[in-house]
Amino acid sequence: MTDIKEFNLVDVKNNSAIITTLNNTYKLWGYEEISPSFINSLETIKGREVIDENEVIGIVSNKSLCLRPEMTTSIVKLISTRLINKKRPIRFFNNGIVFDKKQNHKNNFKFQEKLQSGIELIGYDTKYPEIEVINILFDAIDNINLKENCNLFL
């Protein structure tokens, strides 16, 4: 048995406003939008075994496919294959739904759709690239006007 939470109209409206604000923030910092595929090969997602295969939602196919549990792996694969000659640094941002699967204490699976937004800085041109990323984080938080009781996950 599975349980899938659906977004309601208020969630969609709020998420859309947040994503618009984040996109504008990322663009001001010189990041370009990219949209990784919803469907990936299980081999690509497993990569260096950072992602637990048991938490990935598989797709029935003659190949081992799954819904994306996160976006970074697909973006890194794109950069290291089709964009290998793109001038560094590469600054990308992405937004979209990611999917995961959790097994509860009753051996039921819970599938979740989560809205993810993020940036990728590849081949940085500064001595301390994390300072840029942290500054974008603070800029984004300031622009979103979060409520005091929100549950922010970084």
Side-chain angles (χ1 to χ4, degrees):
M1 173 164 236
T2 62
D3 178 27
I4 300 174
K5 180 185 178 217
E6 308 224 358
F7 293 108
N8 64 40
L9 293 176
V10 173
D11 290 337
V12 171
K13 181 179 177 184
N14 290 338
N15 288 344
S16 180
I18 290 170
I19 291 299
T20 298
T21 300
L22 290 174
N23 288 351
N24 291 334
T25 302
Y26 302 150
K27 288 174 186 175
L28 286 174
W29 283 85
Y31 283 70
E32 297 176 85
E33 187 169 14
I34 191 166
S35 181
S37 173
F38 279 97
I39 299 172
N40 292 274
S41 73
L42 189 55
E43 183 178 303
T44 298
I45 292 300
K46 284 172 52 177
R48 298 181 184 241
E49 299 183 16
V50 174
I51 298 170
D52 183 353
E53 183 177 347
N54 296 319
E55 294 180 3
V56 173
I57 300 173
I59 298 175
V60 177
S61 171
N62 59 352
K63 294 182 179 183
S64 294
L65 299 175
C66 65
L67 296 174
R68 66 180 180 210
E70 53 86 42
M71 292 191 239
T72 299
T73 304
S74 297
I75 293 170
V76 170
K77 180 181 178 192
L78 171 70
I79 290 168
S80 64
T81 56
R82 296 195 336 239
L83 299 177
I84 193 74
N85 294 321
K86 185 169 173 62
K87 186 177 182 233
R88 291 342 190 224
I90 296 175
R91 289 176 169 87
F92 285 145
F93 72 89
N94 57 74
N95 306 290
I97 303 294
V98 294
F99 306 87
D100 70 20
K101 171 178 76 172
K102 301 284 185 202
Q103 189 170 2
N104 66 19
H105 63 282
K106 296 179 182 179
N107 288 329
N108 291 335
F109 290 101
K110 181 178 183 181
F111 297 115
Q112 285 189 305
E113 292 183 21
K114 297 178 182 176
L115 182 59
Q116 178 179 314
S117 179
I119 61 172
E120 306 293 337
L121 174 57
I122 309 291
Y124 47 87
D125 56 352
T126 63
K127 188 172 181 180
Y128 301 104
E130 59 274 4
I131 291 174
E132 177 178 320
V133 174
I134 290 169
N135 281 327
I136 293 169
L137 171 66
F138 287 137
D139 199 12
I141 290 171
D142 284 345
N143 292 335
I144 293 174
N145 298 319
L146 298 173
K147 295 180 181 175
E148 286 186 31
N149 61 349
C150 78
N151 292 319
L152 179 62
F153 293 95
L154 306 174

